[in-house]
Amino acid sequence: MKKMLSVLFLGTSLLAVQAQNVRIPVTQPHEQMATGRYQPTWESLRQHTTPEWFRDAKFGIWAHWGPQCVEGSGDWMAREMYIEGSKAYKYHVEHYGHPSEVGFKDILPLFKAERWNADELVQRYKRCGAKYFFVLGNHHDNFDLWDSQYQPWNSVNMGPKRDVLDEWAKAAKKAGLPLGISFHADHAWTWYEPAQRYDLNGKKAGVYYDGRLTKADGKGKWWEGYDPQQLYAQQHEMSERSWWNRAIHDQWDWTHGAALPSAEFVTNFYDRTLDAINRYQPDLLYFDVTVLPFYGISDAGMKIATHLYNKNPRGVVFGKILSEEQRQAITWDVERGAPNEIIPEPWQTCNCIGGWHYNTSIYERDGYKTAATVVKQLVDIVSKNGNLLLNIPLRADGTYDEKEARVLDGLEAWMTQNGESIFGTRPWTIFGEGPIAEKNIKMNAQGFNDGQYSGIDYRDIRFNQTKKYLYVTPMGWPADGRVVVKALAKGNAYLKKNISSVLLLGYGKLKAIQTADGLVVTLPKPVNDIVPVLRIAK
């Protein structure tokens, strides 16, 4: 036991080098960066502006779907199954086996997508108002969901034995929706580190998990001929404090003692990403990273962004935790939250009705966001110059459950009636008024503040506009039917005209009275189950 515990506290001073002082260049890549107007520098990339089509779109749906959905243990399942005592670990041991004998590699063949129909799903999302569609190219689990020529652990060689990206891309094109692809495998290097561990307790104490296996260990196994290290990437020293499960969050930007990746690993991610871009021609790229992949330690991410911009002038590249300068070059993504102000550059919130990967426990406890919650978040985000990218988690067979179907039904009904107040709009002079609009709501790292918007109701109002109309959206139906819009009081500084009537979308014209306290509108009985939208001619 002393020997095992020593591993927990082993100093790794060589890994303490500050990541921003280390350069790991893309080395002898197979895929060449497209040349053209842009170069991989911030000065050059700032010439690119977020295209108007994206600003008009406002709402996208994401199929954040892959083999981690098999066990229904939720997001980061392929990491947490190696964390002794975690919920995912306990479930995996009970239903599949101990991670020293049955690792994540052995879950891959169980991802079969047997009921998945890309065309039907994309058409369904389009009816809900989605103006672009996102898919998972790979997650932190390092499994490529296409016929990847640089990663043999892919969906054509095992699992569904289908080119998932190809089918999604064709469905998006058929539906006329811009395609987005998200790539997350750049963090597999540190994310999979628990696979190098072993149990500290019980019958298997001291027996290493399968993260250290090599190609030679596969003789006679189903994966014979495949190298587990091309999946797990764990032939390296662990990061400092790696046995503390939350250390990875401090190290997400490759600082605070993160084990730095090899040039081979960085170049492989670069090749895989360019391979997918060249094959499937996406309009949008999403990275779950600080700024860009390997930012601060490598030029790989900058080269990937440059490649997309040179190939596709209407392309959009997302990054998180961006400086003001960086937001002029790539598009800011906020995870599960929003700033409480209008942002000058177009931006996006990525959020989910449940977990990022399908989670059975969320289904069982009725933990999904309601359609009303999603709509209110969308309205709030749009009022601040943002878009919403919404994940609808799919089960491993490629279907959504009946509770998710009700969310989609609610979105479709509200969007059909009120979509004109969302699509093609721009922020007004102020984004809103009310108790939450006036709060000093801060973000946590890349976002994670949407809980502070819970409980929003009719007292909060959001605004957005087109050239012809101002849209006024109370965040709920008041019980007495009376709405008072303070920003449109008599003699207001924002809309200098007399207002005697407004249009309630889905109903018709209503009388309105401007007083010193605000524009007073009396609503009829609710015409939808979520929020009313008032339209005022400018």
Side-chain angles (χ1 to χ4, degrees), residues 321-337:
I321 313 182
L322 304 180
S323 68
E324 291 186 12
E325 177 189 49
Q326 291 163 346
R327 289 183 204 172
Q328 296 171 18
I330 60 177
T331 301
W332 184 34
D333 181 83
V334 177
E335 183 172 351
R336 291 188 182 271

Side-chain angles (χ1 to χ4, degrees), residues 8-20:
L8 286 169
F9 303 105
L10 179 65
T12 52
S13 58
L14 290 177
L15 301 176
V17 179
Q18 287 296 309
Q20 63 266 28

Side-chain angles (χ1 to χ4, degrees), residues 256-269:
H256 296 90
L260 299 183
S262 66
E264 180 183 12
F265 180 83
V266 169
T267 303
N268 178 258
F269 177 83

Side-chain angles (χ1 to χ4, degrees), residues 105 213-226 228:
K105 70 183 185 312
L213 294 179
T214 64
K215 187 175 183 179
D217 296 310
K219 188 173 182 180
K221 307 289 180 61
W222 76 264
W223 46 276
E224 183 173 0
Y226 290 95

Side-chain angles (χ1 to χ4, degrees), residues 197-213:
R197 299 182 189 175
Y198 42 76
D199 285 358
L200 297 176
N201 305 287
K203 296 179 181 179
K204 294 283 188 179
V207 179
Y208 282 103
Y209 303 151
D210 74 329
R212 294 169 174 256
L213 294 179

Side-chain angles (χ1 to χ4, degrees), residues 45-73:
L45 296 181
R46 282 203 307 271
Q47 298 176 72
H48 183 273
T49 56
T50 304
E52 290 298 298
W53 76 261
F54 177 77
R55 300 191 71 191
D56 291 339
K58 303 302 180 189
F59 181 56
I61 286 183
W62 192 359
H64 193 284
W65 177 61
Q68 289 184 81
C69 298
V70 168
E71 297 190 20
S73 297

Side-chain angles (χ1 to χ4, degrees), residues 226-303:
Y226 290 95
D227 183 356
Q229 290 311 311
Q230 290 182 298
L231 180 69
Y232 296 138
Q234 291 307 302
Q235 288 183 323
H236 63 81
E237 292 289 328
M238 296 169 77
S239 300
E240 291 182 2
R241 300 175 295 133
S242 183
W243 281 73
W244 181 49
N245 297 325
R246 293 197 58 79
I248 191 171
H249 300 290
D250 295 335
Q251 298 167 345
W252 203 248
D253 61 354
W254 303 102
T255 62
H256 296 90
L260 299 183
S262 66
E264 180 183 12
F265 180 83
V266 169
T267 303
N268 178 258
F269 177 83
Y270 167 89
D271 278 333
R272 288 155 66 186
T273 306
L274 263 62
D275 176 41
I277 293 170
N278 294 339
R279 291 194 196 197
Y280 307 110
Q281 304 296 315
D283 292 297
L284 311 101
L285 294 183
Y286 172 101
F287 300 108
D288 188 10
V289 297
T290 302
V291 187
L292 286 168
F294 308 110
Y295 185 69
I297 62 171
S298 176
D299 57 356
M302 294 289 282
K303 286 184 173 179

